[in-house]
Amino acid sequence: VEDGQVVGLGTGRAAAAFVRALAIRCKEGGVSVRGVPTSRATEELARELGIPLVDMTEVDEIDVTFDGADEVDPGLDVIKGYGGALVREKIVAAASRRLVILVGHEKLVSRLGQRGKLPVEILPFATALCRRRFAALGYPAELRPGPDGEPLVTDNGNWILDCRVERIPNPAHLDEALTAIPGVVGTGLFVEMADVVIVQDGDSVEVRERPA
């Protein structure tokens, strides 16, 4: 992170750790940045820590975004969305010159889908249609419940269907097939989006970069 940059702030445990570290660097290192949060939770944390924020409408481009992931394959494609912020995360990532993913070693998989779940954000009105179409593609899905037992509502006012998956043979093809269904807002598949993945394994850190 360099002085004067616009920085995308992801959602989840790893992203929250980055936001806290960034706040310390801004205060102690004299670095001035503006943050673009990917969720209300991240926005609240950044404001609490004193990081200046801007809306997506106020910037033409984000210099770099730091976010976590739920799965990372050897090609640096990822699945995100277990935390429920997948669509805003994907929008911020798409607007960024660089996307840096922060994960623990346990998030590495040989092929996406190994953890058994692919989140898809949908319009509530389209729930029945999306579930039928997903099942027809071989990916039965269940509505994600919120703390009150009712469907979880995203920051966008939508619902999330968690598709049951195994090893996804072609993530890009599946992403296209799902997003083509009316009512789908976005999937948790981030294909060819991550530029760098930083992997923590105990006290060691490995940096993996996508080939230019």
Side-chain angles (χ1 to χ4, degrees):
V1 176
E2 298 176 4
D3 188 52
Q5 286 188 325
V6 177
V7 181
L9 308 176
T11 297
R13 186 182 62 175
F18 167 78
V19 172
R20 293 188 178 94
L22 178 63
I24 293 173
R25 184 176 177 196
C26 289
K27 291 177 181 177
E28 298 181 354
V31 175
S32 177
V33 301
R34 294 178 294 161
V36 179
T38 56
S39 66
R40 291 173 185 164
T42 299
E43 178 181 352
E44 291 173 2
L45 175 62
R47 291 191 188 281
E48 177 185 324
L49 296 172
I51 298 175
L53 300 178
V54 290
D55 188 81
M56 282 288 293
T57 60
E58 301 176 69
V59 296
D60 295 325
E61 187 177 54
I62 297 169
D63 293 295
V64 58
T65 288
F66 292 82
D67 208 343
D70 302 295
E71 290 187 3
V72 178
D73 74 7
L76 305 192
D77 291 334
V78 309
I79 284 179
K80 294 177 53 55
Y82 285 23
L86 59 154
V87 168
R88 292 196 183 189
E89 289 172 331
K90 186 172 280 190
I91 291 170
V92 171
S96 303
R97 295 175 57 195
R98 285 172 65 80
L99 172 61
V100 179
I101 296 293
L102 313 169
V103 294
H105 185 266
E106 72 280 359
K107 301 296 181 66
L108 301 180
V109 296
S110 60
R111 179 167 290 183
L112 294 184
Q114 284 183 212
R115 298 184 71 192
K117 183 168 71 174
L118 172 63
V120 181
E121 185 166 330
I122 64 165
L123 298 175
F125 183 76
T127 301
L129 171 67
C130 288
R131 290 188 68 178
R132 288 195 298 270
R133 295 286 182 89
F134 292 0
L137 290 171
Y139 301 99
E142 299 294 334
L143 271 175
R144 184 180 301 185
D148 57 359
E150 296 297 315
L152 178 73
V153 179
T154 71
D155 287 350
N156 304 313
N158 298 317
W159 291 353
I160 291 178
L161 282 173
D162 286 317
C163 295
R164 293 200 297 274
V165 298
E166 294 180 2
R167 293 163 64 90
I168 300 172
N170 190 326
H173 181 268
L174 178 57
D175 184 50
E176 291 176 2
L178 293 175
T179 54
I181 298 170
V184 170
V185 182
T187 82
L189 288 164
F190 285 53
V191 179
E192 296 186 0
M193 297 187 75
D195 299 290
V196 179
V197 175
I198 299 177
V199 184
Q200 179 189 15
D201 186 4
D203 294 330
S204 66
V205 173
E206 177 188 2
V207 179
R208 302 185 178 187
E209 296 194 44
R210 184 182 297 277

